Amino acid sequence: MTEQDFILKSYNSDIESGSVKWSSPSNIALVKYWGKKEHQIPENPSISFTLSDCKTITEVTYTKKNSSDFSFDVYFEGETNEAFKPKIQTFFERIEAYIPFLRDYHFIIETSNTFPHSSGIASSASGMSAIALCLMSIEQSLSVVTELSLSEVEASHNYFNNKASFLARLGSGSACRSIEGELVVWGKNDSTESSDLYGVKYQGDVHPNFDQYQDAILLVDKGEKQVSSTVGHKLMFGHPFAKERFSQAHENLAKLKAILATGDLKAFVKIVESEALTLHAMMMTSMPYFILMKPNTLEIINKIWEYRAENDSNICFTLDAGANVHVLFPKNEKEQVYKFIKSELVAYCQNGHYICDSVGEGAKRL
Ligand code: PMV
């Protein structure tokens, strides 16, 4: 599919008002996206686990209007929120060419997260994908098609998901991996079915070792990051190690494909931890350089390594663009690992807070 496929010329239905509601999850990358071209096109492919419980729930109510400006109000957890408006305005400007009805309606966007707002967990992936899905449901109501064959229904389901992901990408790159589950690939590569324009549900074999894989998110630092990911991505321009990093991501994705099929957890741990540390190494070797890990991030990493060695465990960590630690482990280690987290790792979490999550199936219409 190309960008042109996502431009609908006209709609065959006229609706005065309505409302749609979606819940959309966060995701955690195993091979990381860091560095982008214009229009949020990634410099390298990435793959992520879709999460199950860390979600944004968004309801969009739309009412026909006459003026030609964008018009919307935003409510976050029941209260009007001016702070989110500029991001949504920019998002609308970026997607207008693909969603021609954007200027025809006034939108009330009511949104809330299942995870605490100031937890340091990026809500942009779940937040942007939830709005994109709401807009797609509105588009669907405006383009009523009467009878479809089975293959047409399947094609229209794929179109819906691909376009929702395409729109979400324009809001926040990694948001395009939040539409489907359980593993999603984004960015062209030779090992998997993929696109630069949207996330694609991973098509390769996945060993049962990865069923309901667990992610405990340890909240080390709930504050605002000193360097945003927008700035971080930009610093990959002219970065001395960029070329090597981008090709390494291709190699790691190819290796991960084999690992996912065979269920080799020891090899999985190596790729995932190396990807996390490489992401942060890119930050530390940017100019200007920066560090998003905190002392407790390193304390936790060392404890995880100790625990893994002593217990022949397959626990590992990964990191986003922040100080929080995602602790990944297979379901059959759940009881033991949570004991370990409670006894050894909670001490390094801000106010002792952590979130228990696992791999999920993707967004849902409510
Ligand atoms: O989607 P953005 O622009 O916030 O970038 C997020 C990048 C990482 O979370 C660090 C890695 C990833 O692939 O999700």
Side-chain angles (χ1 to χ4, degrees):
M1 272 184 171
T2 70
E3 263 158 295
Q4 294 309 311
D5 295 320
F6 296 126
I7 301 180
L8 270 194
K9 295 281 176 302
S10 63
Y11 300 105
N12 60 4
S13 173
D14 192 26
I15 300 179
E16 254 326 291
S17 63
S19 87
V20 285
K21 194 172 185 178
W22 275 88
S23 117
S24 191
S26 186
N27 69 73
I28 180 70
L30 305 171
V31 172
K32 309 285 180 183
Y33 148 62
W34 198 242
K36 61 180 165 185
K37 302 173 194 158
E38 240 197 325
H39 307 304
Q40 318 263 79
I41 296 298
E43 286 278 12
N44 66 258
S46 56
I47 182 168
S48 50
F49 272 143
T50 304
L51 295 184
S52 169
D53 294 337
C54 285
K55 295 180 288 203
T56 297
I57 292 146
T58 298
E59 179 164 20
V60 174
T61 306
Y62 53 103
T63 317
K64 240 312 156 35
K65 68 170 179 63
N66 289 320
S67 66
S68 64
D69 291 342
F70 291 135
S71 168
F72 60 90
D73 294 317
V74 186
Y75 292 83
F76 179 64
E77 276 157 16
E79 305 204 347
T80 63
N81 188 301
E82 291 301 310
F84 287 168
K85 282 187 116 177
K87 259 204 155 179
I88 294 175
Q89 175 79 24
T90 307
F91 180 47
F92 276 15
E93 285 162 12
R94 287 185 190 163
I95 63 170
E96 195 192 353
Y98 312 99
I99 300 285
F101 64 79
L102 271 185
R103 289 181 192 271
D104 299 341
Y105 292 94
H106 173 70
F107 299 97
I108 297 172
I109 303 168
E110 292 170 274
T111 186
S112 60
N113 296 332
T114 56
F115 48 89
H117 178 46
S118 47
S119 59
I121 296 189
S123 58
S124 58
S126 52
M128 285 298 172
S129 52
I131 302 183
L133 285 157
C134 288
L135 294 173
M136 282 308 295
S137 287
I138 301 172
E139 173 169 292
Q140 208 172 38
S141 316
L142 293 171
S143 356
V144 179
V145 187
T146 35
E147 286 206 6
L148 289 179
S149 67
L150 211 59
S151 63
E152 283 168 332
V153 169
E154 205 174 293
S156 104
H157 172 77
N158 286 342
Y159 179 82
F160 185 98
N161 280 347
N162 291 349
K163 185 166 174 182
S165 171
F166 171 88
L167 298 175
R169 182 197 101 237
L170 292 168
S172 169
S174 59
C176 77
R177 298 188 312 238
S178 275
I179 307 294
E180 294 186 84
E182 302 173 311
L183 283 152
V184 177
V185 180
W186 171 41
K188 274 205 197 120
N189 69 86
D190 295 334
S191 335
T192 68
E193 195 183 306
S194 61
S195 166
D196 274 347
L197 299 176
Y198 48 86
V200 175
K201 187 176 165 72
Y202 179 65
Q203 302 292 331
D205 292 338
V206 181
H207 191 277
N209 279 354
F210 296 102
D211 285 353
Q212 294 174 52
Y213 222 69
Q214 304 290 306
D215 181 7
I217 309 164
L218 308 188
L219 306 177
V220 170
D221 186 30
K222 305 187 196 172
E224 236 351 70
K225 287 182 285 195
Q226 304 100 312
V227 181
S228 69
S229 52
T230 309
V231 171
H233 284 292
K234 280 200 186 125
L235 292 173
M236 288 303 280
F237 277 114
H239 190 294
F241 308 132
K243 205 164 149 256
E244 288 77 3
R245 162 59 198 153
F246 300 145
S247 57
Q248 181 198 43
H250 283 267
E251 284 158 27
N252 281 346
L253 181 58
K255 285 182 193 159
L256 197 58
K257 185 182 173 186
I259 292 167
L260 288 169
T262 57
D264 183 347
L265 293 175
K266 302 273 177 257
F268 178 79
V269 162
K270 281 191 195 153
I271 298 274
V272 169
E273 292 192 344
S274 160
E275 275 289 319
L277 293 180
T278 302
L279 167 71
H280 284 258
M282 291 300 111
M283 299 173 190
M284 289 191 252
T285 48
S286 295
M287 191 52 79
Y289 42 82
F290 59 104
I291 302 179
L292 295 183
M293 289 186 284
K294 297 283 180 196
N296 281 352
T297 311
L298 295 180
E299 295 284 1
I300 290 170
I301 291 174
N302 280 307
K303 287 275 177 197
I304 287 175
W305 285 345
E306 257 173 47
Y307 176 89
R308 188 163 71 220
E310 284 166 12
N311 296 279
D312 191 29
S313 161
N314 291 304
I315 188 175
C316 72
F317 71 86
T318 188
L319 307 165
D320 258 344
N324 295 334
V325 182
H326 288 250
V327 186
L328 301 179
F329 48 98
K331 191 173 173 245
N332 64 6
E333 291 193 36
K334 192 171 170 182
E335 210 177 304
Q336 289 309 317
V337 170
Y338 274 114
K339 258 191 215 156
F340 160 61
I341 289 176
K342 279 181 204 145
S343 65
E344 304 263 352
L345 302 185
V346 160
Y348 302 108
C349 299
Q350 211 175 334
N351 306 324
H353 287 165
Y354 62 98
I355 295 172
C356 310
D357 209 339
S358 60
V359 170
E361 286 168 7
K364 290 203 168 48
R365 186 163 177 179
L366 303 174

